[in-house]
Amino acid sequence: MVNHCKTGQNGLKQQDVVVVMVPLPAQGHLNQLLQLSRLVSSYNIPVHYVGTTTHTSQAKHRVQGWDLLAATNIYFHSFKIPPHQTPSPADSNLSNRFPSYWLPAFNASLNLTEPVSKLLHALSIMSRRVIVIHDSLMASVVQEVGVISNAESYTFHSVSAFTIFLYILEQMEKKPIEYSNVLIPDEIPSLEGCFSLEFVDFMKSQYKYHKNISGKVYNTCRVIEGDYMDLLERQSKDKGIKHWALGPFNPIKLNPEKKRSESRHSCLEWLDIQDNNSVIYVSFGTSTSMNEQEISELAGGLRKSKQKFIWVLRDANKGHVFNEVRDVGRGKLPKGYEESVKEIGLVVRDWAPQLEILAHPAIGGFMSHCGWNSCMESITMGVPIAAWPMHSDQPRNTVLITKLLKIGIVVKDWERREKLVTSGIVEGAVKRLMASKEGDEMRKRAAELGSKVRRSTGEGGVSLREFDSFIAHITSTRR
């Protein structure tokens, strides 16, 4: 799709169309836009992935399901930013678990504006068109797009279409969207406790720059959220803003021949000897640490359930992740715990290859914080979810997963988020998902939905058609 190229004096190659990805420096955001880079580059379009030196390294280090070295037309631009202090994560406040320690890195990343602007101008000289896909919370970094005649920008929303729709609905008291034919649960979790006040201010500061975008892209597909994509399109029809469901971003087929690879994580070897659908995977992402009491209750519940489990127990990404990719957690378990559960469980202390774990046939459930990246990976692999929301969009993703898609159960009730999840609650949830008729039915629904999503990315599928349409749109000769 891209014409032949030649190298100019600035070292950049002359191209027909180039795409620039600008992620927010948080793991779920970094990962989603790197996965999207893979998909765009498969159309023979050069992709320039930009970020801070450390976060670009972090994103590359944690790639799963595909060979980054084989992607010859993805170019990484790592820029230095001023040093900043990152406070340690707070564990004890159960009513607001939002990771406020993110803010120094987010604010520091806004210093990317100047180097990114220089890159955009350089690319605009060497290309017919420059397409910028930026995280919704990095809009100020790409504001120079507005003065480059052959550049246009698309906002990437890292959350579900359902979550975005609810936000818009709550802001439109006078002119509500007509949605009578779309299912909206009566009880929607409030945003109280989802964010810190500082982060709300940060979001507002970035949304001021969402004025001249050409469209919005989402890591979802119409098989999952078609109704909500339709509502978003209807809401912005008069503004001429297009909405694109380009997901799933993550690979849907993993290489089974990797079994004997030396680089394969040891937890996958353990899963190899377990029965199909017999193991629940427990992981709460990279943004929140549990305190000692929470860990003790979760540990006790998993043991009492007598169901097989693999538990990724690690601290949230802390300050050292901005200097090197090293984030081994050391959550304190009850004395002798790992020995006592060795017949049924495995505790993983470092970062784990989540996508490969979810794709393993031994996995029959996923106890998750319900971050959207994790939700999409779990849906794609056909794995039902035991939802334990912590902050941000996670409580509302829980509603989508459990009440609308009906492929999960609630472990932590958001309206009682200040209450400790006891070992009894954990035990009951694990048994319900892994050892009951209800759980079997959820597993069947999740498998069917996962199969539909995977088929949608194949020839003639709705997701592939949408992606083809997006590529045709950004590479057309319109203007």
Side-chain angles (χ1 to χ4, degrees):
M1 193 169 291
V2 178
N3 296 330
H4 77 282
C5 59
K6 57 184 178 181
T7 303
Q9 291 181 346
N10 59 5
L12 296 173
K13 294 179 179 179
Q14 288 187 344
Q15 303 282 1
D16 182 30
V17 177
V18 297
V19 172
V20 180
M21 299 285 182
V22 186
L24 184 76
Q27 178 58 33
H29 299 244
L30 293 165
N31 179 59
Q32 290 189 69
L33 282 189
L34 184 52
Q35 298 285 16
L36 180 57
S37 298
R38 171 186 65 90
L39 295 172
V40 172
S41 70
S42 70
Y43 286 80
N44 198 27
I45 296 175
V47 178
H48 296 259
Y49 185 96
V50 304
T52 71
T53 301
T54 301
H55 289 101
T56 299
S57 174
Q58 178 181 331
K60 290 158 66 175
H61 180 76
R62 291 175 170 177
V63 165
Q64 298 178 66
W66 56 289
D67 184 2
L68 180 60
L69 296 177
T72 57
N73 56 348
I74 298 179
Y75 304 92
F76 292 92
H77 300 266
S78 301
F79 300 114
K80 291 183 178 180
I81 58 174
H84 55 280
Q85 279 299 113
T86 304
S88 296
D91 297 332
S92 58
N93 186 0
L94 298 184
S95 63
N96 192 320
R97 304 296 291 266
F98 183 81
S100 293
Y101 60 89
W102 274 349
L103 265 297
F106 291 176
N107 286 319
S109 70
L110 300 184
N111 287 282
L112 293 172
T113 302
E114 182 178 352
V116 168
S117 296
K118 289 180 179 178
L119 175 64
L120 295 179
H121 278 284
L123 289 170
S124 71
I125 296 171
M126 305 298 294
S127 311
R128 176 175 64 84
R129 178 174 295 159
V130 178
I131 303 297
V132 180
I133 301 176
H134 64 89
D135 195 288
S136 63
L137 300 181
M138 292 290 278
S140 67
V141 172
V142 300
Q143 57 188 289
E144 197 72 4
V145 170
V147 300
I148 300 176
S149 62
N150 61 337
E152 59 185 21
S153 65
Y154 294 79
T155 298
F156 163 62
H157 286 289
S158 63
V159 300
S160 64
F162 173 69
T163 295
I164 294 294
F165 166 69
L166 289 180
Y167 173 78
I168 292 174
L169 187 64
E170 290 167 338
Q171 304 302 311
M172 296 183 65
E173 295 180 2
K174 294 182 179 179
K175 290 179 63 179
I177 306 168
E178 174 55 46
Y179 62 93
S180 58
N181 61 333
V182 178
L183 179 60
I184 304 293
D186 293 331
E187 297 182 6
I188 298 296
S190 73
L191 293 176
E192 184 180 351
C194 290
F195 306 104
S196 68
L197 293 177
E198 295 80 5
F199 183 71
V200 171
D201 289 340
F202 179 83
M203 285 194 292
K204 290 178 179 178
S205 75
Q206 293 304 301
Y207 274 79
K208 291 189 303 184
Y209 295 92
H210 286 211
K211 296 178 181 177
N212 298 310
I213 61 173
S214 297
K216 299 183 180 184
V217 300
Y218 303 81
N219 180 14
T220 190
C221 72
R222 294 183 186 270
V223 171
I224 303 170
E225 296 192 282
D227 286 343
Y228 306 106
M229 287 299 300
D230 290 344
L231 288 170
L232 291 174
E233 289 172 335
R234 193 183 312 164
Q235 181 271 332
S236 62
K237 185 177 180 180
D238 295 340
K239 301 176 184 178
I241 296 175
K242 293 181 176 291
H243 297 259
W244 308 91
L246 301 182
F249 291 177
N250 57 270
I252 61 169
K253 294 181 181 178
L254 304 184
N255 185 3
E257 298 303 319
K258 194 179 175 183
K259 284 192 174 183
R260 294 191 178 134
S261 169
E262 292 182 4
S263 63
R264 193 168 187 251
H265 198 284
S266 60
C267 71
L268 298 172
E269 305 290 340
W270 183 83
L271 285 172
D272 287 343
I273 60 175
Q274 310 304 325
D275 294 336
N276 286 358
N277 295 322
S278 66
V279 180
I280 185 169
Y281 168 54
V282 181
S283 179
F284 302 106
T286 61
S287 67
T288 306
S289 299
M290 286 186 159
N291 62 38
E292 191 172 330
Q293 188 177 14
E294 289 177 294
I295 291 172
S296 178
E297 293 294 329
L298 176 54
L302 290 172
R303 178 167 52 193
K304 289 192 293 185
S305 76
K306 298 182 181 178
Q307 303 300 308
K308 292 192 174 182
F309 66 87
I310 178 169
W311 178 10
V312 179
L313 176 59
R314 53 185 299 284
D315 289 340
N317 287 342
K318 295 184 180 180
H320 58 246
V321 80
F322 305 116
N323 300 313
E324 57 178 327
V325 181
R326 176 178 170 273
D327 50 12
V328 177
R330 288 287 176 260
K332 188 175 181 181
L333 284 166
K335 186 176 181 180
Y337 180 79
E338 290 180 72
E339 178 66 22
S340 72
V341 298
K342 65 180 181 180
E343 297 300 321
I344 63 169
L346 178 68
V347 178
V348 177
R349 294 289 193 163
D350 57 356
W351 181 84
Q354 177 165 293
L355 188 61
E356 294 179 63
I357 292 171
L358 290 171
H360 200 287
I363 295 297
F366 180 16
M367 186 177 290
S368 170
H369 61 308
C370 270
W372 186 239
N373 194 50
S374 291
C375 288
M376 280 300 293
E377 290 181 351
S378 198
I379 291 171
T380 304
M381 297 305 167
V383 178
I385 296 174
W388 188 321
M390 302 282 189
H391 58 78
S392 302
D393 57 318
Q394 299 161 17
R396 294 183 172 191
N397 292 340
T398 295
V399 172
L400 177 63
I401 292 295
T402 62
K403 294 186 177 181
L404 301 179
L405 299 178
K406 300 185 184 301
I407 56 168
I409 62 171
V410 175
V411 180
K412 187 176 184 70
D413 180 359
W414 185 248
E415 299 308 316
R416 303 179 72 250
R417 59 189 174 278
E418 74 284 353
K419 303 294 184 182
L420 182 69
V421 176
T422 65
S423 62
I425 293 173
V426 173
E427 177 189 7
V430 173
K431 286 181 176 179
R432 184 180 167 197
L433 188 63
M434 301 298 295
S436 74
K437 183 178 179 181
E438 180 188 15
D440 290 340
E441 291 171 349
M442 284 184 192
R443 219 168 344 272
K444 182 179 178 181
R445 284 195 294 273
E448 291 173 348
L449 180 58
S451 180
K452 289 179 181 177
V453 170
R454 294 191 298 273
R455 287 199 306 270
S456 76
T457 66
E459 186 174 354
V462 62
S463 294
L464 181 58
R465 292 200 308 271
E466 183 129 0
F467 214 109
D468 287 345
S469 175
F470 177 70
I471 295 298
H473 178 78
I474 64 174
T475 57
S476 69
T477 56
R478 65 195 157 78
R479 283 184 95 81

